[in-house]
Every structure is written in structure tokens, then in C-alpha cells.
């Protein structure tokens, strides 16, 4: 058993089940998943297509209802919350980075980044000031008034990261953040995400099947057929703290 | 978030233009057709607006102002003898044939006014003197008559010019402005005595009697007294106005034709804007899903969609209404086609356009409410 100090839990998932469809058409996506993510770490969920990675990510993020089990995110029990409270929780505590960036093409970068702040009730002026500052931090000074279509894929993903971080959420959810990027750009994005995860009060969960970026993970959670098969660190050592 | 909602809408230029265009078209079609319809209905009551009297006494079978049955000349005195009548005057109204300089004939609406009082005189005399109408063979014609009856002449008809009216010479002593008749006939005014001489002789020549209640009598009580005392029908002006309008509603296909077009405007507007707005929402579903994932509530997204829908509604309505005002000004200046633009018309069209926007938005809102935010994680 490891003797190193274990960081507090950010996400705690116990026996979570989720089935799509009903009757003969029912497809169980999660079959009693147990899973933890810690504060200050970048954790990757990996596995073959259809193993339930994205479903697990969706239920952790509070964007998909689950059938059974318990999920706690930074001490808040998602399973006990009403839907509108889950939405409120997500608004304040979760940042999203998507595979296809999901930037709104008709808005400028500043406007895209300001969206989470506006949803949280910030004024337009404050939101745009913070958004511009966040874009500067992401290495995109002076690009705030560009539309996403005028940026490269890597730059667009940086804008998406800025949008995910601008309202200072504690949990960052990333769905295949590098799959639409070339190798070098993907590496830069992962460097950025690893830096983001170093914040002691934050946790970054990445779903990916891009094995080129596995090296950026503090821990890897391998899934197969709706279950967690193995949790291990970079050296392949099992994580007994689970 | 609402300014971003508007930027999302304006950013999709094609759909934005389609939405505004559809609503402009719907507004224009509904308002313009209603305006023409109201104008046409107003023309059916042109006798009332051109003669203006509180009580209209006609044959008891008469239901509307354009279908008069002749009365006996003595009926005027019978009405005058009814208690509750201050005065009563005879009026001749009939379609006559005017000969043009080029040999063609044009129908005109000949109105014969009481010789002594000239009650029922033209609403606005532009040139000439009203009293001159008492001179032999004298008539006052409206502007439309000047245009219509001048065909074949070197210059338009003017004061002092003559034309043939049922083979009799008529001399123009005045030019007036009058509301146009439903059938498009120009108005030609003369005295009652001269009018019955212009018109082909018939056993009964009196068309109607204009009257006014005596002091202390209401319109209703005077009308009731006339009906009881003479057996004729006495209409208050407003009563005859609506009776005429409803007669055309019941007995002609005009309302059905116009209402169909107005309905078509509503449906076309609904289909274009509904379908376009739905397509706009559908294409933005992924982005709306992302907003939902980021914590935007259904209420916030609903408000955003309503802001978008009503913005295009306001713009489309404004443009459509402006175009109709332009059309209306032209119509009023030219005197045709018929056009009437009471304040209730733009107000009602506004309500209809906003209901189109609301229904269009509701289709999108329903879709947005149903999407799960997890949609953003699907490839």
C-alpha cells in the first residue's frame, strides 16, 4: 500500500448503473461503476469504443441521469439533488471541454469565453473583461475579437479551455480534447491541461482513446464493458487507494 | 445572454433574412389585404359619407344603401308629418349614362338634392359655387367624373364645360371631392327637380328621404315613430352603415375572398417563420446543448429563443407595415384601389405577427427543453 499522502477526493462514484432503452432494446452502459478522482490530479478514463467512458463522464458532469448508485462531486451528492439543483451545481462547479470544441461560430472568442460567466449572472462588461484576460493566459492575446472560424484547431481548443476555466470551476470535464488535433497541437493542449490540473482545489477528468496522450495522466482508469477494469499510475502500478 | 442570442441570430444571415422576409411578407399581405377590404367595404357606404344625414328613410324592404326601391313623392310629406321629425328632404339617387366626347358612354351616379336646402351636398367643394347647382341643367361633378368624362377631349372638363347626360345637356358649375362608389361610378350632383328630368321618367322617382329628429327625440325614437307612422324603414346613419356592410358580407363572395387571402398571409408567415426558426434551432441544437451543459436553465434558453423570435417579429412587422403605409399613401393619392387603415388594423396585424413569432418560438422551445445536455458528448 502506498505511503504517500493521498489528496482529498474530488469525485466519488459508487456502484453507478445506467441503461439506455427499455425491454429487449435495453443496453446497459454502466454496470456498477466504482471510481474516484482526486483534487489536483489529471485523471484519464480510457478504453475501447462503447465501453461506457463518455456515459461515465456525462453522469459525473451531471448532464445525464443515472439509474442507480451514488455520485459525490466535491462533497455534493448528485444522486440526492433535484434536476434544477444539478443544473445550478454544474453552472458553478463544472467546466467543459469538448471534442469538437463546440464554440458558437457567430460569436467572437471573447463572447464565447464569457458565456459561463454570463450564465452565472455576471454583467456583460465584467464577463468580457475576464474572458479577455483568460484568453491572454491561454496564449491568445489580441485574438479575442476573432471568430472561431478564423483560428486554427489548436487555437480553437485553447478558446474552449479558456471558456471551461473562466468561471473558476473545480471540476474540468474533457471529452476527447485532442482527437480533432494533430500530434504537436494535441501535446500543447495536454501540457496546458496538466498545468490546469495542478491547482490543488481542482480536478481534471479526461476521456480519451488517444494513447499518445496517456503520458500526461496522473492516473489512468481503464474501462471495459461498462465496468472499471483497472486503475493505475504511469508506471503501471495499481492504485490501491481506490 | 440576450445580446449573444441576438448575435447568434444575426450571424446566421440567410435564416435571419428568411425570417424577416417571411414576417414582412405576412405583415404586408395581411395588412394590405385588410386595408383594401376595409376600403372596399367603405366604398359600399359611400352614399352615407357623401350625403351625411342622421336619419335615412327608405322602402321597408331596403337592407342596404346601394339597393334602393323608389318611393312616392308624397312620402316626403308623410315623413315630415311624423311627430319627432325636425325636417325631411327628398333625394334622388340613380345610375345614369353620360356620353363622352369620343362617343363612348360612362355610367355616373346621379344624386338629386332637395332644391331648397341642398341637404346631402358634396362633402368638399373644390371649385365653383354650390348655389349654382340651382341654375338650369347645372351639375357638380366629382374629381373622378372629371377624369372619366374627359376622355376624347383636348383638355379635362372644367367649370362651364358641358356633357351629355341621358341626351340632355349638363353644364358643370362645380367640382367636388366625394368618396368613391363601390361600383366605381363618379358622383354627379344636381337638384332633385333637375335630377328627375335627367333620369328616364318612371312612375316613382324618389329614392330616399333624409331626415333629422326633432329636439327631444333620440335617433331611435324618431326612427321608430317614422316606421310606425309611415310603414317605411327609417335607419339611423350608423345602423344603415352596418346593415350595408353586413349585407355585402352575407350576399357576396368578397369577404370570403379577402379573408382567404388574409388567412393565407397568416399561414404563409407561420410556415416560413416557423420552419425557418425551427431549422435555426435545430442547427444550433449542439450549441444550445452546450449552453445547457454549462448550466443554462431551460428558462434562460426559452427567454433567449423568445428574444430572437420577437426581434425578427418586430423587424418584419415594422418593414411590412412601412410597405403597407407606402402602398396606402399611393392608393389614397390616386383614389384607387380602395384602402382604409384604421388604427385597429396595424394593432391586430401586430398581434397576429407576434402570435406567429410565439408559435414559431414554441416549436423551438419544445425541442430545446427536450434535449439532454449530454448530447454535446456524442460525436
Amino acid at each position: 500500500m502506498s505511503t504517500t499522502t493521498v489528496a482529498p477526493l474530488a469525485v466519488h462514484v459508487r456502484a453507478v448503473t445506467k441503461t439506455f432503452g427499455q425491454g429487449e432494446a435495453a443496453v446497459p452502459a454502466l454496470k456498477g461503476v466504482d471510481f474516484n478522482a482526486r483534487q489536483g490530479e489529471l485523471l484519464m478514463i480510457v478504453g475501447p469504443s462503447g465501453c461506457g467512458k463518455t456515459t461515465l463522464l456525462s453522469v459525473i458532469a451531471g448532464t445525464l441521469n443515472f439509474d442507480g448508485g451514488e455520485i459525490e462531486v466535491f462533497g455534493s451528492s448528485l444522486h440526492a439533488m433535484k434536476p434544477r439543483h444539478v443544473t445550478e451545481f454544474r453552472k458553478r462547479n463544472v467546466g467543459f471541454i469538448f471534442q469538437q470544441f463546440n464554440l458558437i461560430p457567430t460569436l467572437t472568442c471573447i463572447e464565447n469565453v464569457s458565456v459561463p460567466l454570463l450564465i452565472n449572472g455576471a454583467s456583460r462588461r465584467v464577463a468580457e473583461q475576464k474572458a479577455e484576460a483568460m484568453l491572454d493566459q491561454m496564449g491568445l492575446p489580441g485574438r479575442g475579437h476573432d471568430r472561431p472560424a478564423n483560428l486554427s484547431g489548436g487555437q480553437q481548443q485553447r478558446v474552449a479551455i479558456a471558456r471551461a476555466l473562466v468561471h473558476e470551476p473545480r471540476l474540468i470535464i474533457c471529452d476527447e480534447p485532442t482527437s480533432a488535433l494533430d500530434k504537436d497541437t494535441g501535446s500543447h493542449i495536454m501540457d496546458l491541461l496538466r498545468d490546469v490540473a495542478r491547482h490543488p482545489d481542482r480536478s481534471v477528468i479526461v476521456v480519451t482513446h488517444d494513447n499518445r496522450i496517456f503520458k500526461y495522466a496522473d492516473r489512468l482508469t481503464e474501462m471495459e464493458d461498462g465496468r472499471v477494469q483497472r486503475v493505475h499510475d504511469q508506471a503501471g502500478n495499481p492504485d490501491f487507494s481506490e | 445572454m440576450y445580446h449573444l442570442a441576438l448575435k447568434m441570430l444575426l450571424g446566421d444571415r440567410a435564416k435571419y433574412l428568411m425570417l424577416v422576409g417571411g414576417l414582412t411578407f405576412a405583415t404586408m399581405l395581411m395588412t394590405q389585404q385588410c386595408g383594401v377590404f376595409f376600403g372596399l367595404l367603405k366604398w359600399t357606404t359611400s352614399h352615407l359619407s357623401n350625403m351625411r344625414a342622421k336619419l335615412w328613410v327608405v322602402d321597408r324592404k331596403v337592407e342596404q344603401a346601394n339597393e334602393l326601391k323608389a318611393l312616392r313623392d308624397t312620402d316626403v310629406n308623410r315623413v315630415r308629418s311624423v311627430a319627432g321629425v325636425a325636417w325631411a328632404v327628398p333625394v334622388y339617387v340613380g345610375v345614369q349614362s353620360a356620353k363622352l366626347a369620343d362617343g363612348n358612354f360612362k355610367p355616373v351616379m346621379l344624386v338629386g338634392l332637395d332644391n331648397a336646402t341642398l341637404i346631402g351636398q358634396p362633402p368638399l367643394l373644390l371649385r365653383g359655387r354650390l348655389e349654382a347647382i340651382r341654375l338650369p341643367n347645372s351639375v357638380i361633378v366629382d374629381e373622378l367624373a372629371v377624369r372619366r368624362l374627359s376622355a376624347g377631349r383636348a383638355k379635362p372638363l372644367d367649370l362651364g364645360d358641358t356633357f351629355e347626360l341621358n341626351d340632355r345637356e349638363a353644364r358643370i358649375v362645380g367640382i367636388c371631392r366625394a368618396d368613391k362608389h363601390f361600383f366605381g361610378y363618379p358622383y354627379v350632383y344636381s337638384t332633385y327637380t333637375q335630377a328627375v328630368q335627367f333620369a328616364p321618367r318612371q312612375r316613382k322617382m324618389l329614392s330616399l328621404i333624409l331626415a333629422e329628429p326633432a329636439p327631444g327625440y333620440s335617433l331611435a325614437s324618431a326612427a321608430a315613430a317614422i316606421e310606425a307612422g309611415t310603414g317605411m324603414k327609417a335607419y339611423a346613419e350608423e345602423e344603415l352603415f352596418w346593415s350595408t356592410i353586413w349585407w355585402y358580407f352575407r350576399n357576396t363572395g368578397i369577404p370570403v375572398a379577402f379573408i382567404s387571402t388574409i388567412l393565407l398571409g397568416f399561414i404563409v408567415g407561420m410556415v416560413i417563420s416557423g420552419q425557418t426558426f425551427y431549422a435555426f434551432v435545430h442547427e444550433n441544437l449542439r450549441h444550445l446543448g452546450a449552453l445547457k451543459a454549462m448550466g443554462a436553465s431551460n428558462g434562460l434558453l426559452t427567454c433567449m429563443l423568445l428574444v430572437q423570435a420577437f426581434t425578427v417579429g418586430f423587424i418584419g412587422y415594422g418593414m411590412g407595415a412601412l410597405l403597407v403605409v407606402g402602398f396606402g399613401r399611393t392608393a389614397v393619392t390616386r383614389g384607387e384601389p380602395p384602402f382604409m387603415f384604421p388604427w385597429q388594423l396595424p394593432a391586430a396585424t401586430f398581434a397576429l405577427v407576434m402570435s406567429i413569432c410565439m408559435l414559431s418560438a414554441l416549436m423551438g422551445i419544445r425541442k430545446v427543453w427536450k434535449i439532454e445536455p449530454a448530447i454535446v458528448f456524442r460525436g
Side-chain angles (χ1 to χ4, degrees):
Chain A
M1 187 177 286
S2 172
T3 55
T4 54
T5 309
V6 177
L9 284 181
V11 178
H12 178 68
V13 176
R14 281 293 165 266
V16 165
T17 57
K18 172 70 184 174
T19 301
F20 292 105
Q22 287 180 329
E24 288 184 9
V27 178
L30 300 177
K31 300 172 179 173
V33 172
D34 295 321
F35 165 84
N36 286 332
R38 301 192 176 282
Q39 296 182 26
E41 79 169 348
L42 189 156
L43 182 135
M44 282 188 192
I45 303 172
V46 301
S49 291
C51 70
K53 305 187 295 286
T54 301
T55 305
L56 179 59
L57 194 72
S58 300
V59 296
I60 292 168
T63 59
L64 184 66
N65 295 329
F66 50 99
D67 302 330
E70 295 179 356
I71 298 177
E72 281 188 16
V73 180
F74 287 98
S76 298
S77 303
L78 292 189
H79 55 274
M81 286 184 191
K82 289 179 179 172
R84 68 187 167 93
H85 292 140
V86 174
T87 304
E88 277 294 310
F89 178 82
R90 220 166 49 224
K91 182 165 89 176
R92 291 200 200 93
N93 297 294
V94 185
F96 292 89
I97 298 167
F98 307 106
Q99 185 178 354
Q100 297 298 335
F101 322 134
N102 271 349
L103 299 171
I104 299 172
T106 49
L107 306 184
T108 65
C109 295
I110 286 178
E111 287 164 344
N112 266 294
V113 174
S114 68
V115 164
L117 291 167
L118 294 169
I119 290 174
N120 275 287
S123 71
R124 182 176 171 181
R125 192 175 59 80
V126 169
E128 291 189 351
Q129 278 174 354
K130 284 189 176 178
E132 193 164 13
M134 186 55 72
L135 283 169
D136 289 350
Q137 277 185 45
M138 290 295 125
L140 293 167
R143 305 305 300 268
H145 296 285
D146 286 337
R147 296 249 171 110
N150 297 333
L151 304 181
S152 67
Q155 287 173 322
Q156 287 187 46
Q157 195 58 301
R158 281 168 189 266
V159 175
I161 294 170
R163 182 178 64 182
L165 298 177
V166 73
H167 58 306
E168 299 173 3
R170 300 175 76 187
L171 178 63
I172 313 294
I173 296 287
C174 311
D175 180 36
E176 306 277 8
T178 58
S179 68
L181 304 174
D182 61 59
K183 184 181 169 228
D184 289 343
T185 311
S187 299
H188 288 133
I189 292 298
M190 287 313 299
D191 282 335
L192 202 57
L193 285 175
R194 195 164 56 183
D195 290 344
V196 168
R198 289 294 165 257
H199 195 292
D201 195 26
R202 185 181 283 158
S203 181
V204 177
I205 300 176
V206 177
V207 158
T208 185
H209 59 252
D210 181 358
N211 55 16
R212 295 173 304 180
I213 65 165
F214 286 179
K215 61 189 176 195
Y216 293 93
D218 294 313
R219 290 189 303 146
L220 287 141
T221 298
E222 290 181 16
M223 284 189 74
E224 198 171 325
D225 193 26
R227 290 191 180 87
V228 172
Q229 293 297 321
R230 199 161 78 100
V231 182
H232 60 89
D233 62 16
Q234 282 298 338
N237 300 319
D239 185 352
F240 296 111
S241 65
E242 290 288 299
Chain B
M1 284 297 285
Y2 302 127
H3 68 288
L4 298 187
L6 288 179
K7 282 201 79 172
M8 286 172 76
L9 174 72
L10 297 174
D12 192 341
R13 199 59 58 90
K15 289 206 177 50
Y16 169 71
L17 292 176
M18 181 79 113
L19 280 165
V20 170
L23 291 168
T24 300
F25 177 75
T27 303
M28 208 178 75
L29 198 61
M30 289 190 289
T31 316
Q32 189 257 8
Q33 286 296 298
C34 279
V36 172
F37 179 51
F38 291 164
L40 203 57
L41 288 180
K42 178 87 172 26
W43 278 9
T44 66
T45 62
S46 61
H47 285 343
L48 285 88
S49 54
N50 286 337
M51 287 184 241
R52 304 168 317 283
K54 289 181 180 170
L55 285 171
W56 292 62
V57 185
V58 290
D59 184 274
R60 64 190 171 86
K61 293 291 183 188
V62 167
E63 292 178 84
Q64 56 118 333
N66 298 302
E67 204 177 56
L68 301 169
K69 290 181 173 62
L71 305 168
R72 288 184 303 238
D73 282 348
T74 52
D75 285 335
V76 181
N77 289 330
R78 292 176 65 213
V79 173
R80 283 173 181 155
S81 68
V82 172
V85 174
W87 51 256
V89 295
V91 175
Y92 171 83
V93 180
V95 180
Q96 305 302 330
S97 186
K99 189 176 181 185
L100 309 185
D102 62 6
N104 279 326
F105 291 87
K106 286 277 181 194
V108 296
M109 182 62 69
L110 179 63
V111 177
L113 306 174
D114 175 50
N115 298 17
T117 61
L118 299 182
I119 282 171
Q121 63 189 253
L124 179 64
L125 190 65
L126 300 171
R127 300 176 62 197
R129 285 188 321 115
L130 180 68
E131 295 76 18
I133 204 173
R134 295 194 182 101
L135 294 172
N137 300 330
S138 296
V139 293
I140 293 175
V141 297
D142 69 1
E143 294 166 300
L144 180 63
V146 171
R147 283 205 302 277
R148 291 262 174 92
L149 305 183
S150 297
R153 290 174 180 267
K155 61 185 183 67
L157 282 170
D158 206 347
L159 299 183
D161 289 342
T162 59
F163 62 95
E164 259 185 48
L165 188 58
N166 280 347
D167 288 335
R168 286 171 60 92
E169 185 185 73
R171 181 175 299 279
I172 298 172
V173 295
I175 296 172
C176 67
R177 180 168 297 159
D179 284 353
K180 205 176 259 184
H181 187 261
F182 178 59
F183 297 134
Y185 301 144
Y187 273 88
V188 174
Y189 289 87
S190 184
T191 58
Y192 182 80
T193 310
Q194 294 189 92
V196 296
Q197 286 168 359
F198 280 124
R201 190 68 200 163
Q202 289 176 298
R203 194 167 66 86
K204 293 193 277 186
M205 297 294 284
L206 178 63
S207 305
L208 59 96
I209 299 161
L210 299 181
E212 188 162 304
Y217 284 84
S218 67
L219 284 174
S221 62
I226 291 169
E227 289 181 6
T230 65
M232 289 185 279
K233 175 74 183 168
Y235 284 101
E237 189 177 22
E238 194 179 343
E239 191 188 354
L240 183 57
F241 176 90
W242 287 112
S243 180
T244 303
I245 299 282
W246 285 119
W247 190 92
Y248 281 90
F249 259 88
R250 288 193 309 270
N251 296 290
T252 70
I254 298 166
V256 175
F258 275 97
I259 289 168
S260 303
T261 312
I262 292 158
L263 206 61
L264 192 70
F266 183 82
I267 291 168
V268 167
M270 184 68 237
V271 168
I272 293 178
S273 67
Q275 195 177 26
T276 309
F277 200 74
Y278 186 81
F280 172 73
V281 170
H282 189 76
E283 281 178 20
N284 281 288
L285 214 52
R286 198 167 182 81
H287 303 306
L288 294 168
L291 293 179
K292 215 166 175 178
M294 284 185 249
S297 63
N298 280 334
L300 176 61
L301 294 173
T302 298
C303 289
M304 286 172 69
L305 292 181
L306 287 175
V307 164
Q308 291 170 334
F310 284 121
T311 299
V312 288
F314 276 111
I315 295 170
Y317 170 79
M319 289 174 64
L322 269 179
L323 288 170
V324 173
V325 167
F327 170 85
R329 286 176 72 97
T330 310
V332 167
T333 307
R334 292 183 55 209
E336 56 187 10
F339 190 76
M340 195 179 163
F341 200 60
W343 68 266
Q344 291 92 340
L345 175 56
T349 315
F350 180 76
L352 282 175
V353 170
M354 291 304 129
S355 69
I356 289 175
C357 295
M358 178 59 105
L359 288 171
S360 304
L362 282 177
M363 288 196 280
I365 287 165
R366 188 171 159 270
K367 197 157 183 71
V368 167
W369 277 53
K370 283 173 77 176
I371 57 166
E372 280 189 26
I375 188 179
V376 290
F377 293 122
R378 292 174 200 147

